[in-house]
Amino acid sequence: MTTIAFIGLGNMGGPMAVNLLKAGHGITAYDLSDAAMTAAGEAGATPATSAGEAVTGADTVISMLPASQHVESLYLGADGLLQSIARGSLVIDCSTIAPASSRKVAAAAAELGLEFIDAPVSGGTAGATAGTLTFIVGGEAGALERARPLLEIMGQNIFHAGAAGAGQAAKIANNMLLAIHMIGTSEALSLGAANGLDPKVLSEIMRNSSGGNWSLEKYNPWPGVMEAAPASRDYSGGFGSALMLKDLGLAAEAAMATGSAIPLGELARNLYTLHCAESGGLDFSSIVGMFRHDD
Ligand code: NAD
């Protein structure tokens, strides 16, 4: 049994921790949110009153936080958490953040004799609950092998993208594509509905035609088409629009740093900027509301 400190038990971290608990691992949990702490306690985790307390006695630390600034302020600095983690421990950061931030934390961890991987995930909250996430890992191969048994409990596919930060670079490219096909899917469904089609019927047609994509397969943005999708529960839970906007900002930064053209990625970022001004707290599939004029 591995003793795990789990920090950040929100929409994704919560169900990921539950799967580790179900597999028999002990977890000490810490989150800033009382609701997240209560849910973790009910699932069998030991609540900690601070991140420092959570890592005491742990040989593995897993974090699942919103953005770069949260990860950097947790781990780095004179009072940063890395200082409190026992030498030789493994740190797995599953948050989606800037590759440069991951590399910074990885370098600081190495100086303190810790193993660190960036391991952002794909698969959404449904994948986190079912234990079928895809992990996209950056870091040393040896650290990934050490993490693998835990990643296999929480996920189905594990890819080694390359050195520190490479997991983030791959994840950012993936999420830019996700935003683009979610917007395209929303646009197509809205066009069909405005022309008298039943969105459920149109979804089935496109899913089995050349327009098929993950948003249609697993995450239909139209309410009532897919019972388990956030669209069918008023866009609650899921993957917040503000988090998607953050990822599109990371894609824009990566594009500027390398002189890459991402015209559709930039358009997606602009559309999510407008959308978030109204609906940042809703799941990212709520962008369909920009195109619908049937209600
Ligand atoms: P969330 O907002 O639901 O959860 C984040 C949690 O971190 C919150 O409970 C918050 O209280 C906690 N937190 C923030 N700062 C903290 C700190 N210093 N110490 C302890 N806890 C802290 O977000 P989420 O949807 O779980 O996403 C987490 C990460 O996973 C993000 O980087 C996101 O981009 C990525 N991601 C999300 C999804 C998804 O479908 N939701 C899918 C893939 C990747």
Side-chain angles (χ1 to χ4, degrees):
M1 186 180 96
T2 309
T3 308
I4 302 166
F6 206 115
I7 299 164
L9 298 107
N11 289 333
M12 294 295 287
M16 288 164 70
V18 167
N19 284 327
L20 293 171
L21 287 163
K22 280 188 189 155
H25 291 290
I27 289 190
T28 307
Y30 179 66
D31 194 293
L32 295 177
S33 141
D34 291 342
M37 287 299 286
T38 304
E42 283 170 2
T46 305
T49 55
S50 67
E53 184 185 312
V55 303
T56 306
D59 49 39
T60 304
V61 178
I62 302 177
S63 49
M64 190 46 155
L65 300 174
S68 303
Q69 66 270 27
H70 305 98
V71 175
E72 287 198 31
S73 78
L74 177 75
Y75 285 118
L76 301 179
D79 298 328
L81 195 65
L82 289 181
Q83 306 282 347
S84 310
I85 300 173
R87 212 180 159 79
S89 299
L90 172 67
V91 181
I92 306 171
D93 179 43
C94 298
S95 327
T96 303
I97 63 173
S101 291
S102 280
R103 285 194 288 270
K104 218 191 277 182
V105 181
E111 270 184 27
L112 291 164
L114 305 170
E115 292 195 282
F116 177 90
I117 56 171
D118 46 297
V121 304
S122 175
T125 47
T129 304
T132 57
L133 292 170
T134 294
F135 284 91
I136 310 167
V137 176
E140 299 288 337
L144 166 56
E145 287 319 309
R146 190 172 163 193
R148 190 178 290 277
L150 296 178
L151 303 186
E152 281 175 344
I153 293 168
M154 299 182 283
Q156 210 163 36
N157 301 305
I158 300 166
F159 293 106
H160 190 195
Q168 301 297 354
K171 167 70 184 168
I172 288 165
N174 178 76
N175 270 27
M176 183 179 81
L177 180 57
L178 169 62
I180 292 167
H181 68 62
M182 179 57 81
I183 293 168
T185 299
S186 297
E187 216 175 291
L189 285 173
S190 301
L191 175 68
N195 281 276
L197 291 166
D198 177 345
K200 208 168 201 165
V201 173
L202 178 58
S203 294
E204 197 52 22
I205 292 168
M206 293 196 297
R207 231 163 51 79
N208 291 287
S209 304
S210 44
N213 67 73
W214 188 90
S215 294
L216 275 172
E217 273 307 320
K218 312 256 189 188
Y219 217 96
N220 198 296
W222 204 277
V225 172
M226 204 170 267
E227 273 320 303
S232 297
R233 48 171 198 268
D234 296 328
Y235 302 101
S236 64
F239 179 42
S241 297
L243 288 177
M244 177 53 95
L245 179 58
K246 176 241 341 176
D247 290 355
L248 290 165
L250 294 174
E253 278 170 29
M256 278 191 289
T258 51
S260 307
I262 51 161
L264 295 183
E266 280 292 8
L267 179 56
R269 190 174 70 82
N270 280 312
L271 289 171
Y272 272 100
T273 300
L274 293 171
H275 183 58
C276 282
E278 300 283 318
S279 313
L282 298 181
D283 178 77
F284 82 112
S285 62
S286 62
I287 194 127
V288 72
M290 272 195 170
F291 307 103
R292 282 181 68 169
H293 52 93
D294 60 316
D295 49 3

